[in-house]
Amino acid sequence: MSIIQNHPSIDDAYPTRRCGEPALLYRQDPVVYGRPEDGPIDAATLKSFEADGYLTIDRLLEPAEVEDYRAELRRLSSDPAVLRDERTVTEKGSDEVRSIFEVHRISEVFANLVRDPRVVGRARQILGSEVYVHQSRVNYKPGFGGRDFFWHSDFETWHAEDGMPRMRAVSISIALTENFVHNGGLMIMPGSHKTFVSCVGETPDDHYKRSLKDQQVGTPDAGSLSILADRYGIELFTGAAGSATMFDCNCMHGSNGNITPYPRSNVFIVFNSVENACVKPFAADSPRPSFIGARDFTPVGA
């Protein structure tokens, strides 16, 4: 295991899936690009986001709004056309819906959420620019059968397989069911966003078909995860439906499986700066389908 500040590669600030051993690389990009006066996030929260890589919002959505989104979740998961669509991913070994991608294009209800100033306004403020949706999805983690999402940095995959050049993207996870400590809630290593884990293993062709159900290539090794966990610790997020967590694209995060009777569903939106539009993938022969990693860089609201 090596910890290095720079890498000899000229054209790639964050090389991954190229070497036979993992490496921990120092982040070379800012975390916060905007100012307190640029949006709804106050100065103290922006400072905390810069240090920890995430922020929480206890009540982003009102209860009546949550009910509307839950109703849309139920409609989508029972619509035969949606279930047949390639954007719908089922759990490994079952027909239970795991995720529905590009949900803001499938559903006008979720399209309105993407455009909501409470959501996109925070993204613009953190990234200091206009933003577009790199990815959107709803996640269903059903009771008794919801599988885990192993530890990973989203940026590693977006960089390697989508061609996202730099760390200038942010995600928001909005809870549509209550997050308990025991039903597979989001876990983040605070501060881990300042270290990039360069992973081993070449990207297979059409890797997304397997990785959306059970990712293996592009996941950190046990040694790197142990170093990060010892250095930064692990936070588990709980909260009522309507609460939200916003986090930097390079945060190391994951979630356990759900063996309780209580489902955990959320809507997940990734905003990327229009100044950081994706190019050719850095560690794959071709980019993933656009419903997973957008190639339309039109700003939200344009």
Side-chain angles (χ1 to χ4, degrees):
M1 176 67 59
S2 58
I3 303 178
I4 56 179
Q5 183 169 7
N6 294 307
H7 192 279
S9 173
I10 296 174
D11 61 344
D12 186 356
Y14 302 104
T16 187
R17 308 188 195 182
R18 295 183 183 180
C19 301
E21 64 177 29
L24 302 180
L25 311 179
Y26 291 121
R27 183 188 183 112
Q28 299 181 41
D29 297 308
V31 177
V32 175
Y33 291 79
R35 304 164 300 174
E37 57 266 31
D38 294 336
I41 308 172
D42 61 39
T45 304
L46 276 180
K47 184 177 181 180
S48 175
F49 185 92
E50 198 283 333
D52 295 333
Y54 69 86
L55 60 84
T56 58
I57 308 155
D58 290 337
R59 191 166 174 169
L60 179 69
L61 302 179
E62 296 300 318
E65 295 177 290
V66 171
E67 288 305 316
D68 289 340
Y69 292 120
R70 282 178 173 171
E72 184 68 352
L73 278 181
R74 291 191 294 270
R75 185 191 72 79
L76 291 171
S77 64
S78 62
D79 185 331
V82 173
L83 296 177
R84 290 192 302 267
D85 196 296
E86 66 174 342
R87 292 172 287 188
T88 298
V89 178
T90 56
E91 293 282 0
K92 185 178 180 180
S94 81
D95 293 328
E96 291 269 15
V97 175
R98 180 177 175 88
S99 303
I100 300 174
F101 282 81
E102 209 172 42
V103 72
H104 71 294
R105 296 193 183 278
I106 294 176
S107 164
E108 186 60 27
V109 172
F110 286 110
N112 288 333
L113 180 62
V114 165
R115 296 188 291 262
D116 192 310
R118 294 171 295 179
V119 177
V120 71
R122 286 177 164 87
R124 290 182 181 126
Q125 183 179 8
I126 289 172
L127 301 180
S129 70
E130 290 297 322
V131 298
Y132 71 92
V133 176
H134 176 71
Q135 183 186 103
S136 73
R137 67 180 188 263
V138 285
N139 294 320
Y140 299 76
K141 187 170 277 192
F144 300 120
R147 288 173 56 86
D148 63 282
F149 287 84
F150 190 71
W151 290 106
H152 62 287
S153 154
D154 288 326
F155 177 76
E156 194 280 339
T157 295
W158 300 339
H159 185 68
E161 299 186 41
D162 299 339
M164 185 178 289
R166 310 297 296 223
M167 295 178 182
R168 197 173 177 182
V170 66
S171 302
I172 185 167
S173 175
I174 306 171
L176 299 181
T177 54
E178 186 164 357
N179 290 324
F180 302 105
V181 295
H182 46 256
N183 68 337
L186 175 69
M187 297 184 293
I188 286 179
M189 297 183 187
S192 61
H193 62 304
K194 296 191 176 180
T195 303
F196 178 73
V197 180
S198 179
C199 298
V200 299
E202 294 185 2
T203 308
D205 292 339
D206 292 333
H207 179 230
Y208 74 95
K209 293 180 179 178
R210 171 178 291 185
S211 66
L212 296 182
K213 293 176 181 283
D214 184 17
Q215 183 170 355
Q216 295 180 0
V217 175
T219 55
D221 63 291
S224 295
L225 288 172
S226 297
I227 290 172
L228 294 181
D230 288 344
R231 180 179 299 173
Y232 301 118
I234 297 172
E235 290 285 339
L236 170 64
F237 295 91
T238 60
S243 61
T245 303
M246 204 161 197
F247 56 99
D248 179 83
C249 59
N250 191 48
C251 276
M252 192 60 65
H253 66 288
S255 63
N256 287 317
N258 184 12
I259 61 172
T260 75
Y262 311 112
R264 174 183 165 263
S265 297
N266 69 303
V267 55
F268 184 81
I269 307 162
V270 179
F271 295 101
N272 189 28
S273 169
V274 296
E275 299 172 14
N276 191 43
C278 292
V279 294
K280 180 180 177 181
F282 288 85
D285 290 336
S286 59
R288 297 187 298 174
S290 60
F291 70 84
I292 304 173
R295 312 307 288 189
D296 179 354
F297 312 128
T298 304
V300 173

